Amino acid sequence: MPTPPPPPPGPSWQSNMLETCFRLFRFSRLFLWFSKQPRYRTGDFKTPDKLGFTTEMIAGLRCYWTNESCRERGVLVYLPGGGFVTGPMKAHWEHCLRMSRRLRYAVLVIPYPLAPQHPFPAALNSILAVLLDLQRQQRMPENWLISGDSAGGNLALTTTLGLRQREAPLPRKLVLLSPVVNMNKVEYEGNPPDPMLSADYRTYVDQSYVQQANPADPLLSPIFADLSGLPPILIQMGTNDVLIHEVRKMVQQMQTAGQPVQFEQYSSMIHVFMLFWWLPEAHQAIRDQVTFITKV
């Protein structure tokens, strides 16, 4: 796959303002506190009602559709991030609606079971059960894709690996936004100063999701998987994302293995910046996602 043109130089003044606010108000500490509160950690399920999403129980899991009438044109399966411990937020629902309108595809959001009550591999197995059930019912068109941010990006990739293990139909493409690729006690010294993901938060996520599992399991840390022979993959990261070094290693492995991957690095941008729709860099990232998805 040809190398795409680099994203425009950054950061914008809007991005600088966002990062300054995150640091000033110590957002990483607030994010950790939020992730531990039962009242908030389950996620926002009022916004999908307001935005017109419809619910359906699939394989015992409540899933959410938008624009389902366009299912035959294409389906984008979206797995929201949240460190495996928090459910979808307003920004996730708005991103999915925005992508559905731009692509004119149906979007299926799968809010998976959360750790620590449901550690690995509960989320992965639940997502696989939903997709396999839809495939058995012949409700997934040939043109379907899978996307996710952060922990959801991890699950989008590991779900594809799980489908391959089961010799089930794979998505046509993957779109991974600031994905988590290594849960194996990564040493983050010298990494960019991301104001969202503190060391304490990463430790809490590890303890909650990994628990007794082997963190080097390829279905937990896809950086250790055989990454060849997968559908084409788009990965978008900000260079101030603390996870970027591990993602760069994984991309290098993919390229060595001949795996089609388009890797976009946005200068000075933070973790999951593309969900902050009002950033110019997020607008560019979404345009790139649409271009990648619709390219024949």
Side-chain angles (χ1 to χ4, degrees), residues 59-79:
L61 207 61
R62 186 177 299 278
C63 301
Y64 292 77
W65 290 96
T66 186
N67 208 12
E68 190 181 1
S69 61
C70 290
R71 185 161 48 88
E72 291 307 313
R73 177 180 172 88
V75 172
L76 173 63
V77 175
Y78 195 83
L79 307 176

Side-chain angles (χ1 to χ4, degrees), residues 217-230:
D217 186 327
L219 294 179
L220 186 56
S221 298
I223 195 170
F224 300 112
D226 174 7
L227 298 170
S228 62
L230 297 175

Side-chain angles (χ1 to χ4, degrees), residues 19 85 90-91 136 138 183:
E19 185 165 352
V85 296
K90 182 180 181 182
R136 278 192 294 267
Q138 298 184 341
M183 302 293 290

Side-chain angles (χ1 to χ4, degrees), residues 42-57:
T42 54
D44 170 16
F45 291 96
K46 294 181 180 179
T47 295
D49 287 341
K50 295 176 182 177
L51 296 180
F53 283 75
T54 58
T55 62
E56 180 185 356
M57 295 297 294

